[in-house]
Amino acid sequence: MIKVTVATKNFRFLYRLNEILGGIKEIQINHVLPDEFIPENIDVVITTEIEKKSVDWKKKFIPKAFNRYYLYSNICLTYIGKESFSEVIIGIDPGKTIGYAVVADGETIISVSEIYTAVDAVKEVISTFFNIETDKLVIKIGAGGGKVKDEIVQRLNDIFYDKVPIHIVREDFTSKTKPTSTEEKFSKNITSALLIAARENYV
């Protein structure tokens, strides 16, 4: 759990942050005005460019965009004191319902979701690519999924031209591997995507 304080007088800014970050269980958010007391147990303070000089805090984040990947990944990076992750892996479980997972440095789950078309899955990859600071991005896609998998792979190859590694991962383990306590809270498709992100048994 990362404890976050939003220090601002800009209530539109506060509303947009709460709207995007409110559903993330790994974050606990409260609000103060810039000149108010910030509790010592707070991990990260978010404020605006205009108000940053009024906020005296070591781990301070000033957002430049309102995107879930951008906001949550930067909160995590600010919390651990880094400017970028070493590696971000996207795991995709293709099928009628597509499982999608983004995992940073092998342990931080940035995002999980269920997606219903190959086009939307590719859009999600593009959003991940442009909004998370990382030294290396890897895409891992389950070998099953038939035409959906083929369409995702083709579209990604057309977009990235080998600039991002795309690996096809065997899926025979996804129904047999016992999920971890973290994975148990997710749907079958998302759990499979997380398992795909973690495995290296490429086809």
Side-chain angles (χ1 to χ4, degrees):
M1 176 74 69
I2 303 175
K3 294 182 179 179
V4 176
T5 287
V6 182
T8 185
K9 294 179 181 177
N10 185 334
F11 286 93
R12 179 173 290 183
F13 175 81
L14 175 65
Y15 175 81
R16 293 192 70 184
L17 287 177
N18 280 324
E19 189 177 36
I20 296 168
L21 300 174
I24 301 176
K25 295 179 180 179
E26 291 76 13
I27 294 179
Q28 180 182 334
I29 302 179
N30 70 348
H31 169 245
V32 299
L33 297 175
D35 56 353
E36 288 184 331
F37 173 75
I38 298 172
E40 292 182 2
N41 66 340
I42 294 300
D43 298 308
V44 176
V45 171
I46 302 177
T47 189
T48 65
E49 183 69 32
I50 294 171
E51 296 167 308
K52 67 180 181 181
K53 291 182 180 179
S54 302
V55 179
D56 182 20
W57 201 258
K58 184 178 179 181
K59 293 184 176 180
K60 189 163 51 179
F61 170 45
I62 295 87
K64 294 179 173 60
F66 290 91
N67 171 282
R68 187 185 192 282
Y69 291 116
Y70 170 80
L71 289 173
Y72 183 44
S73 64
N74 275 283
I75 289 169
C76 292
L77 287 169
T78 304
Y79 175 61
I80 62 178
K82 295 175 65 176
E83 292 186 1
S84 68
F85 295 108
S86 298
E87 182 180 62
V88 168
I89 297 176
I90 297 171
I92 301 174
D93 178 37
K96 186 175 180 180
T97 300
I98 301 165
Y100 189 88
V102 181
V103 182
D105 291 345
E107 58 182 5
T108 303
I109 299 173
I110 300 296
S111 180
V112 293
S113 59
E114 290 187 328
I115 303 170
Y116 300 97
T117 70
V119 171
D120 285 340
V122 171
K123 287 180 180 177
E124 205 70 15
V125 173
I126 294 169
S127 182
T128 305
F129 176 80
F130 282 110
N131 286 289
I132 299 179
E133 292 295 329
T134 181
D135 299 334
K136 182 181 181 182
L137 179 71
V138 177
I139 302 168
K140 297 181 182 181
I141 304 171
K147 291 182 179 179
V148 174
K149 183 263 292 181
D150 293 340
E151 183 179 353
I152 291 172
V153 172
Q154 181 180 341
R155 287 179 179 274
L156 289 175
N157 281 327
D158 289 345
I159 291 166
F160 291 112
Y161 301 106
D162 296 327
K163 292 178 182 177
V164 176
I166 301 172
H167 301 297
I168 307 302
V169 180
R170 297 184 189 279
E171 284 193 74
D172 50 357
F173 61 84
T174 56
S175 60
K176 298 176 183 178
T177 304
K178 185 178 179 180
T180 65
S181 58
T182 301
E183 291 160 352
E184 283 176 350
K185 63 184 178 182
F186 298 120
S187 70
K188 176 181 177 294
N189 297 307
I190 289 172
T191 298
S192 293
L194 286 166
L195 291 168
I196 286 167
R199 296 298 290 263
E200 297 185 2
N201 56 339
Y202 307 143
V203 174

